[in-house]
Amino acid sequence: MSVTSRYREAWEGFWSEAPEDEGAVFWDAEPALTVGLHLALFEPHVAAPGLPVVDVGCGNGTQTRFLADRFPRVLGLDLSAAAIAHARRSDPAGQAEYRQLDVAEKSTAEQLHAELGDVNVYMRGVLHQCEPDDRQPLADSLAALIGERGRVFVVELAEAARPVLAGLAQSPGGPPPKLAPVFAHGLTPGKVSDAALLDHVHAAGLTILASGELPLSTTEFTSDGTRIELPSTWLVAGRADFSTGASGLNQ
């Protein structure tokens, strides 16, 4: 199963029009406020720190490049060719690798696993944007990618983010400038319930090793200068029969 053409075209259109400027995309906050915080939650549960790291839904590669500063091999994957083009232009030194792949297609994930072996996966804000029929296949693909030894860190908008987004969308002056293109391209953030996120992970045959909540920083600010943050849920998952140990990704 692969993603619908509507979903693919929506992302292609979004990234084709997205500015190149740093912080121009609504969710593209600086790594110190995003992946940097997430790694502190992920690292204690990683059992095989030497594995390649795969950033699923890498977009323009901001978080991927941060990962590539820390780990020997990092691969950013995205459905959109325009997103991958952005990422490569933003990484002229080639710190990371980037590929356009439909990760919701399990055979694609299995082929990548055959190439790389087990990997550790970072995925931020991808499942909640997927079409409903693509969510479980995506979770199944994550399980295929990490294999027996890998771990996956997933962070998604929580249910509590929906009224926040709705309020922003219905502001008297319209949605904030960086959020408006998301809606204009038919993207629908925050559509996965907290319970459904856990169900998808369990159905993929993975065990949740840790979970919690934290605010997800955006690059947009309110009129009084306050950064807009959205409630999010995070989790670390892997195979139940593989010991976690007490190592970190960067060891």
Side-chain angles (χ1 to χ4, degrees):
M1 178 179 183
S2 62
V3 299
T4 65
S5 59
R6 187 213 68 82
Y7 177 69
R8 184 189 302 273
E9 290 165 4
W11 279 110
E12 204 61 53
F14 176 86
W15 282 113
S16 294
E17 296 178 9
E20 299 277 347
D21 301 339
E22 183 176 340
V25 174
F26 180 69
W27 54 78
D28 197 35
E30 52 267 40
L33 301 177
T34 49
V35 64
L37 299 178
H38 299 151
L39 283 180
L41 302 170
F42 191 20
E43 287 176 342
H45 303 282
V46 171
L51 299 180
V53 176
V54 174
D55 181 7
V56 173
C58 68
N60 61 2
T62 300
Q63 317 307 319
T64 322
R65 293 190 297 278
F66 179 90
L67 291 168
D69 281 337
R70 296 171 60 93
F71 311 118
R73 186 174 188 185
V74 176
L75 175 61
L77 307 179
D78 204 278
L79 174 67
S80 166
I84 293 299
H86 270 259
R88 288 175 175 155
R89 287 193 298 271
S90 299
D91 187 6
Q95 291 176 280
E97 303 169 58
Y98 306 94
R99 298 187 198 177
Q100 180 197 8
L101 286 178
D102 176 1
V103 185
E105 180 63 61
K106 191 176 180 182
S107 64
T108 297
E110 291 170 341
Q111 290 169 10
L112 188 59
H113 181 265
E115 175 190 342
L116 301 177
D118 293 354
V119 302
N120 290 311
V121 170
Y122 175 72
M123 188 176 82
R124 179 177 68 110
V126 176
L127 196 71
H128 77 89
Q129 290 277 17
C130 285
E131 297 283 354
D133 289 344
D134 294 324
R135 292 169 188 159
Q136 190 57 52
L138 176 57
D140 294 341
S141 289
L142 298 180
L145 285 171
I146 68 171
E148 296 300 319
R149 299 180 298 148
R151 295 287 183 257
V152 57
F153 181 89
V154 176
V155 59
E156 296 288 342
L157 293 185
E159 287 181 50
R162 293 181 193 174
V164 179
L165 286 167
L168 293 171
Q170 297 166 10
S171 299
K178 295 178 186 177
L179 183 57
V182 177
F183 296 125
H185 285 281
L187 302 171
T188 54
K191 292 296 185 179
V192 178
S193 70
D194 298 343
L197 172 60
L198 304 182
D199 289 345
H200 286 309
V201 173
H202 287 139
L206 299 179
T207 297
I208 295 173
L209 306 173
S211 63
E213 299 177 353
L214 78 170
L216 192 65
S217 296
T218 75
T219 61
E220 191 62 272
F221 296 81
T222 62
S223 57
D224 65 2
T226 302
R227 184 186 293 270
I228 294 174
E229 297 180 328
L230 301 173
S232 74
T233 298
W234 64 268
L235 61 85
V236 180
R239 305 291 179 189
D241 56 354
F242 190 72
S243 174
T244 60
S247 57
L249 267 172
N250 59 342
Q251 294 181 351

